[in-house]
Amino acid sequence: MGDPQLQAWFDAIDIDHSGRLDSKELQRALAMGNLHYGLNDVDQMVRAFDVGRSRSLDFSDFCRLHYFLVNVQNSFQTFDRDRSGRLTPDEVEHALQQAGFQLDGPAMMAMISKFDPDNSGSLSLDEYIRTCLFLQTAARTFDAFDPERSGQVHLRFNQFVYAASHVGAC
């Protein structure tokens, strides 16, 4: 991934010139793009895209996160049909289906409830990004326990705790 503009942005926000972005550096970068997240949310992003498990992003990790955010923002704009700046449950369902997530009704409503702190019944862009990040991390964690890709896992309690800690609290 050799996008010179992304490389220049990465270099500009890599304050300590380590070649890696920690959560605080990424938080500042997201804020420059008008995406304001708490440190816990940003740490969750880092963990989701940090292939080397160092709790920081190299340029390649950063590119994957950037493209994820661009795709999620584009999805949000596509499915926000009334241009309200919020996705209704029906719009969220269609957007997530387009992204490859097939959730049943109760799971969908649980997701919306979890990521709708103002209890509006719809999701803003930042809430939708959190939802997509959670689902991506949950899918990756689930897949680690489902090597045959059967769609089912059986976990001992310790495995469940391990899996839940990797999905995080988003």
Side-chain angles (χ1 to χ4, degrees):
M1 295 183 206
D3 184 326
Q5 189 174 13
L6 271 181
Q7 182 68 58
W9 188 30
F10 179 88
D11 292 342
I13 59 180
D14 181 15
I15 302 298
D16 62 4
H17 306 291
S18 65
R20 303 192 70 79
L21 301 179
D22 64 22
S23 294
K24 289 180 182 178
E25 289 170 319
L26 181 60
Q27 184 181 37
R28 282 191 293 274
L30 291 170
M32 291 186 323
N34 206 30
L35 293 172
H36 303 281
Y37 291 99
L39 199 52
N40 285 340
D41 290 327
V42 176
D43 185 57
Q44 196 65 29
M45 288 180 193
V46 168
R47 287 175 180 230
F49 289 89
D50 170 25
V51 174
R53 306 249 186 259
S54 64
R55 304 273 302 262
S56 63
L57 302 176
D58 65 15
F59 180 64
S60 179
D61 299 333
F62 175 75
C63 287
R64 280 191 305 284
L65 172 59
H66 170 76
Y67 292 119
F68 168 81
L69 292 172
V70 167
N71 287 334
V72 171
Q73 288 174 316
N74 288 341
S75 170
F76 184 90
Q77 291 170 351
T78 298
F79 287 95
D80 181 18
R81 291 192 172 91
D82 62 0
R83 301 294 177 237
S84 65
R86 300 191 70 81
L87 295 182
T88 65
D90 189 53
E91 291 169 333
V92 171
E93 181 177 10
H94 287 97
L96 293 178
Q97 285 175 347
Q98 180 76 22
F101 294 104
Q102 303 299 321
L103 300 175
D104 64 18
M108 181 65 64
M109 292 315 294
M111 289 299 307
I112 291 171
S113 177
K114 176 177 178 58
F115 294 101
D116 180 22
D118 61 358
N119 204 25
S120 66
S122 61
L123 299 180
S124 65
L125 175 60
D126 64 321
E127 293 165 349
Y128 180 65
I129 289 172
R130 285 183 185 99
T131 302
C132 291
L133 180 64
F134 173 83
L135 285 172
Q136 177 177 326
T137 305
R140 189 175 70 196
T141 302
F142 185 89
D143 288 348
F145 289 95
D146 185 21
E148 287 86 35
R149 304 295 181 253
S150 68
Q152 296 182 1
V153 296
H154 302 281
L155 302 174
R156 294 183 310 275
F157 182 71
N158 286 334
Q159 290 173 308
F160 173 77
V161 171
Y162 176 84
S165 72
H166 278 76
V167 172
C170 283

